[in-house]
Amino acid sequence: MTPVGRLAAAETAQRQRVPGLLDAPVTLPLLGGGDDLAAHERRYGERPRTAGRAGAQLLRTLEEIALTGRGGAHFPAARKWAAVRSAAGPAVVVANAAESEPASGKDAALLGRRPHLVLDGLVCAAEAVGADQLVVWLHGGDHAGHRAVERALAERRAAGLAEPAVRLVSGPATYLSGESSAIVRGLSGGPVLPELRRLPAAARGVHGRPTLVHNVETLARVALAARTGSEGHRPTSLLTVTAGGVRTVLEADPSWSLAAVVRAGSWGWEAEPAAVLLGGYGGVWLPWAEASVLPVHEPAVRMAGGSLGAGVVVPLPRGACGVAETAAIAGYLAAAGARQCGPCLFGLPSIAGVVASMAAGTARRSDLRALRRYLAEVDGRGACGHPDGAVRLVASMLSTFADDVAAHLRGRRCAGSAYPLVVPVPAGR
């Protein structure tokens, strides 16, 4: 091998030694254990500079590894970057840490364990797209996350790192405070609610400036990609598994099946689950026999009619009632809506009301026909994606738990109706 070849091989080996996002599964709530700056740099090395040509190379890397956003939509990150880079004027980059999905804990795990990796990704993105404003947007109730980021920023300032200032902003403690257009609207001085009609934030975002909004897991992966290049990329996903009242965050690659994920995530029953909620409140219920063999790979999950979404996996034990679980989530989603359009203001409460009556065993067959009509009327007509998520969830209930739905409609609630709720649903709005 030539000296140049040996050097290239050494660089590749070094890149492949860069660790992933988590060393081991993390159980929530977090109790200490996060990297300080010194530990972070021992683990990952110093942050690469990504201005100029290095930024263009990082963009190519994102295209090659097909990095998608991990906030739920899985939109290609490289397309966002290209749009921001081509827009006029200095940009704004926002790290979206407002983990409003109550069943998710991956962003909390990242902020608690790897805050500097998230900040590395934020700065790398800012350098690459030419941004002069950097923001970390947090959920109003996330005091632990705020402390972790604040402490990490103080360490970076004390170390004299040559990077732009980062502003911390806490939005309201609401379900929709993490929606990207709501973040842009809030940072522009408006209400933290989804925008009704808008140009993409990449073209016209915060105060009319091109804006890049990324989930914190996406930014952590940007920080890894800047270090490894495409040849050292590890196509993993962070998932939150809720089982037995315990939330566990773990990192899985496409070789894992969802059955392996559930086994690694505090599943304590001998019997297999009956079904699984995949993707979160706006996700879908899938029968366990169908879901268990799926790989942790977004395209494969989508082919089966689901999505990893925000990385939420909630196995439903045999004996629990999928109708009652869905009724609790649908009621929460109806109360948490922005109420800026008819589907949100009228459609979601109507849907939630019928599902609640089904769970109580008081619905009639005519109510099922009404529910199907409501779902069709709301689907695709909301001002944002919030109503569509509720429609998707309820529609999946009707198919996955068809037998239980039929029993409830006959006034005989299924045996699992008295089972404690499995999916964590906050009280009230």
Side-chain angles (χ1 to χ4, degrees), residues 196-335:
L196 298 180
R197 294 182 181 178
R198 62 188 186 278
L199 290 171
R204 186 177 177 81
V206 177
H207 293 300
R209 299 172 58 178
T211 301
L212 179 66
V213 181
H214 270 321
N215 170 261
V216 293
E217 182 190 345
T218 311
L219 289 173
R221 295 190 179 282
V222 166
L224 292 181
R227 289 170 165 88
T228 67
S230 57
E231 66 273 18
H233 171 61
R234 297 172 56 190
T236 63
S237 298
L238 288 186
L239 303 173
T240 308
V241 183
T242 298
V246 176
R247 284 189 304 163
T248 303
V249 178
L250 51 85
E251 188 170 7
D253 65 46
S255 69
W256 289 42
S257 67
L258 283 174
V261 168
V262 168
R263 285 195 297 269
S266 302
W267 179 256
W269 290 271
E270 291 184 9
E272 290 186 334
V276 62
L277 176 62
L278 197 58
Y281 282 19
V284 297
W285 291 105
L286 291 176
W288 181 246
E290 177 183 334
S292 62
V293 297
L294 292 176
V296 181
H297 186 51
E298 179 66 12
V301 176
R302 290 201 177 199
M303 286 183 65
S307 171
L308 294 175
V312 171
V313 180
V314 186
L316 188 71
R318 296 187 182 278
C321 177
V323 178
E325 298 284 345
T326 306
I329 300 171
Y332 177 81
L333 292 177

Side-chain angles (χ1 to χ4, degrees), residues 81-95:
W81 285 40
V84 173
R85 282 166 63 94
S86 65
V92 179
V93 178
V94 182

Side-chain angles (χ1 to χ4, degrees), residues 142-194:
D142 187 10
H143 305 300
H146 194 283
R147 288 192 299 269
V149 176
E150 200 168 48
R151 182 167 55 248
L153 288 174
E155 290 175 348
R156 296 168 88 92
R157 288 193 298 268
L161 299 187
E163 53 191 36
V166 177
R167 184 163 59 105
L168 267 67
V169 180
S170 288
T174 60
Y175 182 75
L176 291 177
S177 67
E179 199 271 345
S180 60
S181 70
I183 294 171
V184 168
R185 199 173 177 187
L187 289 174
S188 300
V192 183
L193 295 171

Side-chain angles (χ1 to χ4, degrees), residues 22-49:
L22 296 176
D23 293 330
V26 173
T27 300
L28 301 176
L30 295 167
L31 294 174
D35 285 349
D36 61 14
L37 183 58
H40 166 74
E41 292 187 342
R42 286 195 300 270
R43 185 187 302 273
Y44 296 105
E46 293 185 359
R47 181 186 68 81
R49 301 297 183 261

